[in-house]
């Protein structure tokens, strides 16, 4: 973040009024960030921290996927990945769009010292997410059972277990952004990105060596148990942290305001997830669990190409929101341009390596997974377009333009479903990869144009190379 955050603006904003002793204590303990100078060197330090944590987490997750694929075989592993993908998709409506809204409001309330609103936001977001998640589970359970009664549904037994991952996945997403809002990156991503893969891998190893049967169903059970442990740990830690920071301030609820912001974010996030999960779900539905296992190995491997982009988005998002709110377009362009440069070189190097060594990398999952090498190469093209366009999705959300990005995401998600429906029956996994790459590329380019038009900055790598600066006008 460039420059200093002005305190004059903060003093003009009406604040919630806790007791004087509480206010003094909270001001001393909570506002060091808003009263200090934060520059690109600080952003670089935070970026290094989150890159290290993300590298450990993603590596562990990837290793867990490799070992599970080898231990379970393509069909059972495909069944496991199919259910996990469904739980991720259904967790989005269960969250009501609150994770991104909470990240945005926590930053604002801490800057303005509106502690009552902050406590109300935390409590109500937990309650709403858990309540809606449980209702969605009950509804999904009834639908799955109904389908199985009327016509034999091969995925029914494992889905009836896996559907209970949904509220846990929604809570994890919410709590990650809560922790990001208070700049506690280890708490945000350590439990879900590091501890959970370790527990899943350990439980799979235990089942394998106890001869208890390592199937898709047994691993979903273990995923459910271990994720519950993670959620309870993270909730407890967050509650302690917020309680210590906020004190005994009475909660103030502005549910209408929060939901008005959250619901467009819900739509935007839903369509974004559909862009990344539709291929796996439709391969499973149209081809089978074995094909999902093979294709999933390619899809998970391709994510390494935009690993740096996703990691730096996590640390840069609050900077985007604050600089835009201050009207500092020059500072925002500088930060965005610098972050894009940080992303570019390592992402291109990773992508080239994945293309060159696609066959030996996929063979680590097992010899049958090499069949997905062309799907992997095609998917990497889409991830590279993502990298070249920059942090377009985050910029639209963090600057309050989420309603415009919803239109883009919805159109691309619908096109993605249509293309997958056409191409998967003809070309299998390669067809799914083509559909996903085309729609992901269109989504990024379209949002890049909207960022230039409405935010008045150029987020792409072209700007950092001195190309396209004239596209941005006052």
């Amino acid at each position: 973040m460039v420059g200093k955050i002005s305190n004059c603006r903060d003093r003009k904003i009406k604040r919630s009024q806790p007791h004087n002793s509480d206010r003094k204590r909270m001001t001393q303990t909570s506002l060091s960030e808003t009263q200090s100078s934060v520059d690109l060197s600080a952003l670089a330090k935070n970026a290094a921290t989150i890159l290290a944590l993300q590298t450990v987490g993603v590596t562990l997750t990837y290793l867990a996927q490799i070992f599970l694929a080898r231990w379970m075989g393509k069909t059972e592993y495909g069944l496991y990945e199919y259910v996990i993908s469904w739980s991720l998709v259904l967790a989005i409506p269960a969250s009501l769009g609150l994770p991104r809204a909470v990240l945005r409001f926590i930053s604002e309330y801490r800057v303005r010292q509106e502690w009552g609103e902050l406590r109300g936001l935390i409590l109500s977001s937990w309650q709403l997410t858990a309540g809606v998640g449980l209702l969605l589970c009950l509804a999904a359970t009834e639908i799955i059972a109904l389908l199985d009664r009327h016509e034999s549904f091969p995925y029914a037994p494992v889905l009836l277990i896996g559907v209970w991952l949904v509220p846990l996945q929604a809570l994890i997403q919410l709590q990650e952004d809560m922790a990001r809002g208070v700049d506690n990156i280890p708490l945000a991503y350590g439990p879900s990105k590091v501890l959970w893969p370790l527990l899943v891998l350990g439980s799979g190893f235990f089942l394998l060596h106890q001869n208890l049967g390592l199937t898709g169903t047994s691993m979903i059970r273990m995923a459910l148990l271990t994720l519950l442990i993670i959620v309870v740990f993270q909730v407890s830690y967050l509650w302690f942290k917020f309680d210590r920071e906020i004190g005994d301030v009475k909660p103030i609820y502005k549910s209408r305001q929060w939901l008005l912001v959250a619901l467009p974010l819900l739509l935007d996030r839903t369509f974004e997830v559909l862009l990344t999960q539709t291929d796996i779900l439709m391969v499973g539905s149209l081809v089978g669990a074995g094909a999902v296992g093979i294709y999933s190995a390619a899809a998970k491997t391709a994510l390494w190409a935009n690993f740096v982009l996703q990691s730096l988005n996590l640390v840069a998002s609050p900077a985007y929101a604050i600089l835009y709110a201050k009207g500092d377009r020059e500072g925002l362009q500088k930060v965005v341009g610098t972050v894009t440069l940080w992303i570019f070189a390592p992402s291109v190097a990773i992508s080239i390596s994945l293309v060159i060594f696609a066959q030996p990398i996929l063979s680590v999952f097992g010899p049958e997974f090499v069949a997905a090498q062309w799907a992997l190469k095609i998917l990497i093209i889409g991830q590279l377009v993502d990298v070249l366009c920059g942090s377009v999705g985050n910029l639209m959300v963090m600057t309050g333009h989420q309603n415009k990005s919803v239109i883009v995401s919805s159109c691309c998600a619908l096109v993605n479903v249509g293309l997958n429906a056409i191409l998967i029956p003809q070309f299998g996994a390669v067809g799914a990869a083509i559909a996903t790459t085309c729609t992901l590329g269109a989504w990024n380019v379209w949002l890049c144009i909207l960022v230039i038009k409405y935010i008045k900055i150029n987020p792409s790598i072209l700007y950092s190379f001195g190309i396209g600066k004239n596209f941005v006008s006052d």
Side-chain angles (χ1 to χ4, degrees), residues 6 16 46 88 97 131 199-200 249 327 337 339 393 396-397 413 458 469 473:
S6 172
S16 300
N46 289 336
L88 288 170
L199 291 175
V200 169
V249 177
V339 171
M396 293 294 286
V397 169
N458 190 332
K469 292 188 177 183
S473 57

Side-chain angles (χ1 to χ4, degrees), residues 428-451:
V430 171
I434 293 171
T436 300
T437 294
C438 289
T439 49
L440 185 61
W443 180 79
N444 275 283
V445 173
W446 193 349
L447 283 184
C448 187
I449 293 169
L450 292 185
V451 168

Side-chain angles (χ1 to χ4, degrees), residues 95-104 129 170 173-175 177-178:
S95 72
L96 295 176
L98 285 169
R100 286 188 177 184
V102 162
L103 173 61
R104 180 169 150 189
T129 301
Q173 293 170 17
L174 175 68
Q175 290 162 188
D177 281 346
M178 279 185 180

Side-chain angles (χ1 to χ4, degrees), residues 168 172 175 191 195-196 199 222-236:
L168 300 180
I172 282 289
Q175 290 162 188
L195 187 55
W196 191 35
L199 291 175
M222 298 309 297
L224 181 61
L225 175 61
T226 52
L227 190 58
L228 178 61
I229 294 170
I230 296 299
V231 167
V232 171
F233 167 77
Q234 203 172 33
V235 165
S236 303

